[in-house]
Amino acid sequence: MTLPDTAADILVVEDEPRIARLVGDYLLAAGHQVRLVDHGDRVLSAVQACMPDLIVLDLMLPGQDGLSLCHAIRRFSEVPIVMLTARVEEVDRLIGLDAGADDYLCKPFSPRELVARVRAVLRRSRARPPAEAAAAASEPAGLQLDESTHEARLHGQPLDLTPVELRLLAALAAAPGRVFSRDQLLDRLHDDQRALSDRTVDSHVKNLRRKLERSGASPDAIRSIYGVGYRFEPELLEGPA
Ligand code: CA
């Protein structure tokens, strides 16, 4: 049988046996290799031991919970993480907390939907830097972006961006002064648009502004255009005088 181009080693962290089995079966059928972990305290050692290509991570777990695990994994790895939560309201909170996950799914979800999200996240993580990132090589003053090495610096200082934030900033910075609608930004963030809503773009922009500001930029370097979307203003990277 021919494996899809996105076949991967996937670590599924889920303490509900029925869901774990269902998710595992669907991912196996999609050509992936699957390892199951059902306790939060065993996740970090499993990640370090098997270096998965992607992690499906339940939020509520016995032992260490999914949010703190996500933060802990991000200290040593950029492995894509798809987080599972039981409540839709939880997603906004997690994005606000900057959990570092690449995508979120609410229970109950269809296993097909999960498989589609996993495929999309794997594609993105394996994709060569898009033309936009290459264009961003003619960088606005002080900003260095490299999607292939996942590095973003402002005035030499690392920005510590999540993969989604890096793509968002690369898209905006590739066309300084151009106004992007939320839909246009969604197009550039995910090839599976169902993964993100308009409000998700806003949440990512909020986090991105906070990080730019931390490195001395004005938060208005990503300016809100009322009723339309966002515009990148590179001259504001220097911050308020
Ligand atoms: Ca659970």
Side-chain angles (χ1 to χ4, degrees):
M1 132 179 161
T2 334
L3 291 181
D5 59 340
T6 53
D9 287 319
I10 299 179
L11 182 70
V12 175
V13 183
E14 171 59 77
D15 59 308
E16 290 168 67
R18 190 186 58 82
I19 297 180
R21 208 161 44 234
L22 191 65
V23 165
D25 285 349
Y26 269 81
L27 290 174
L28 281 171
H32 302 297
Q33 287 187 285
V34 179
R35 179 185 302 253
L36 298 175
V37 172
D38 64 359
H39 195 288
D41 292 348
R42 288 196 286 274
V43 173
L44 290 180
S45 55
V47 174
Q48 276 155 347
C50 68
M51 300 296 279
D53 298 314
L54 182 142
I55 302 172
V56 175
L57 180 61
D58 186 30
L59 181 66
M60 297 294 287
L61 293 165
Q64 198 171 350
D65 69 86
L67 181 61
S68 79
L69 282 168
C70 202
H71 282 302
I73 292 165
R74 279 290 170 262
R75 278 186 218 117
F76 65 90
S77 170
E78 288 299 326
V79 59
I81 297 175
V82 176
M83 199 165 248
L84 306 178
T85 87
R87 300 208 329 265
V88 68
E89 312 87 70
E90 199 67 29
V91 170
D92 278 342
R93 189 179 78 87
L94 289 170
I95 291 170
L97 287 171
D98 197 10
D102 295 85
D103 203 352
Y104 300 88
L105 262 180
C106 291
K107 296 177 181 178
F109 54 84
S110 96
R112 277 173 213 284
E113 174 73 7
L114 175 69
V115 169
R117 300 284 189 95
V118 162
R119 189 190 307 121
V121 168
L122 284 170
R123 284 228 178 94
R124 288 199 297 277
S125 78
R126 290 171 177 181
R128 303 315 310 160
E132 283 139 9
S138 60
E139 272 137 5
L143 188 65
Q144 294 167 273
L145 297 176
D146 188 336
E147 282 194 270
S148 59
T149 60
H150 190 78
E151 281 188 283
R153 289 170 180 272
L154 181 59
H155 310 310
Q157 248 185 295
L159 286 169
D160 277 326
L161 303 184
T162 65
V164 170
E165 289 161 5
L166 182 66
R167 288 173 69 90
L168 182 61
L169 184 56
L172 286 162
R178 170 177 162 188
V179 179
F180 288 88
S181 71
R182 288 173 179 79
D183 275 347
Q184 288 170 329
L185 290 172
L186 279 174
D187 282 344
R188 284 163 176 76
L189 290 180
H190 281 215
D191 37 34
D192 179 355
Q193 287 187 49
R194 289 167 300 175
L196 287 174
S197 68
D198 289 5
R199 272 192 312 156
T200 319
V201 171
D202 294 344
S203 300
H204 287 302
V205 165
K206 197 169 86 185
N207 290 332
L208 197 47
R209 280 177 174 153
R210 188 167 44 76
K211 291 178 180 181
L212 288 169
E213 203 174 2
R214 214 158 55 192
S215 294
S218 159
D220 276 340
I222 300 176
R223 192 180 289 281
S224 298
I225 308 300
Y226 182 73
V228 185
Y230 295 100
R231 181 171 69 201
F232 185 66
E233 305 204 355
E235 63 279 9
L236 293 176
L237 286 177
E238 289 295 344

